[in-house]
Amino acid sequence: MSERPRLTVLSGPSGVGKSTVVAHLRKVHPEIWLSVSATTRRPRPGEQHGVQYFFVDDEEFDKLIANGELLEWAEFAGNRYGTPRRAVLERLEAGEPVLLEIDLQGARLVRESMPEARLVFLAPPSWEELVRRLTGRGTESPEVIERRLAAAGVELAAESEFDVTLVNTSVEAVSRELLALTKVS
């Protein structure tokens, strides 16, 4: 029996550049399947339902939880995010590499339900750089930024729980390393 591909989970502190790395990787290697999360937050400008996220209301999200349809879910900054289970399992069974881009809480839950998953921690080059990225977005209120910075400190401390750490000094370099990890069982 051939070993099925492993689930690769990319996590790390808010603002470290997870989305940017994943977007670059998918542009260069569209064969890597990225799980699209469900979220209760409102779309940001330019985001489309089913592309960046499945945008759902609280009632729909409650149903997903109740029906056991989420591999993991978490609440962050007043919104909930979750990974639809069925799509992930179907892709893995079809022999496709699957990438999840989720927060620390979600990564821990995936580790519990799928211990064979490879957890990859994306670290910032420095704390100062992370602060610059989080405050430079310009899309959030000072209160939200403060919460994100506090959360980032906690998230950085969890690095030892991961199988591999990649430092985000260059989007291209990290994308290459991540690609190699998705293809090695």
Side-chain angles (χ1 to χ4, degrees), residues 10-13 15-18 21 119-130 133 156 159 162-178 181:
L10 181 68
S11 194
V16 77
K18 296 182 294 290
V21 166
L119 270 52
V120 179
F121 188 85
L122 189 62
S126 67
W127 172 254
E128 291 71 28
E129 174 62 16
L130 187 63
R133 289 178 190 177
L156 282 172
E159 182 184 339
F162 288 74
D163 302 313
V164 182
T165 295
L166 301 179
V167 179
N168 193 7
T169 47
S170 141
V171 169
E172 291 78 11
V174 169
S175 294
R176 277 194 303 275
E177 292 175 76
L178 187 58
L181 289 170

Side-chain angles (χ1 to χ4, degrees), residues 5-182:
R6 238 165 153 185
L7 172 62
T8 304
V9 175
L10 181 68
S11 194
S14 176
V16 77
K18 296 182 294 290
S19 309
T20 307
V21 166
V22 168
H24 178 78
L25 176 64
R26 300 253 357 274
K27 197 168 81 183
V28 184
H29 292 279
E31 75 277 10
I32 301 293
W33 189 75
L34 176 71
S35 171
V36 177
S37 297
T39 183
T40 57
R41 86 156 166 75
R42 296 242 168 264
R44 289 186 182 134
E47 288 183 331
Q48 293 173 290
H49 180 76
V51 179
Q52 287 83 8
Y53 289 98
F54 292 112
F55 295 98
V56 298
D57 61 24
D58 280 312
E59 193 181 333
E60 289 174 274
F61 204 93
D62 290 339
K63 278 186 195 152
L64 292 172
I65 295 168
N67 296 334
E69 290 178 42
L70 297 175
L71 186 60
E72 59 78 32
W73 71 272
E75 191 161 334
F76 187 74
N79 296 298
R80 292 183 291 174
Y81 299 82
T83 303
R85 177 190 306 272
R86 189 181 310 130
V88 168
L89 297 178
E90 283 171 0
R91 297 291 172 136
L92 288 172
E93 278 155 21
E96 294 178 50
V98 174
L99 181 62
L100 287 190
E101 178 211 324
I102 52 179
D103 72 354
L104 172 63
Q105 210 177 332
R108 286 173 171 155
L109 290 167
V110 169
R111 161 119 315 142
E112 281 173 31
S113 59
M114 295 181 79
E116 71 279 10
R118 177 184 279 121
L119 270 52
V120 179
F121 188 85
L122 189 62
S126 67
W127 172 254
E128 291 71 28
E129 174 62 16
L130 187 63
V131 171
R132 193 186 65 73
R133 289 178 190 177
L134 280 172
T135 53
R137 274 182 179 169
T139 55
E140 278 118 359
S141 67
E143 297 78 29
V144 170
I145 290 170
E146 204 52 50
R147 276 205 306 266
R148 284 186 185 272
L149 287 172
V154 172
E155 289 161 344
L156 282 172
E159 182 184 339
S160 62
E161 296 174 37
F162 288 74
D163 302 313
V164 182
T165 295
L166 301 179
V167 179
N168 193 7
T169 47
S170 141
V171 169
E172 291 78 11
V174 169
S175 294
R176 277 194 303 275
E177 292 175 76
L178 187 58
L179 175 69
L181 289 170
T182 65

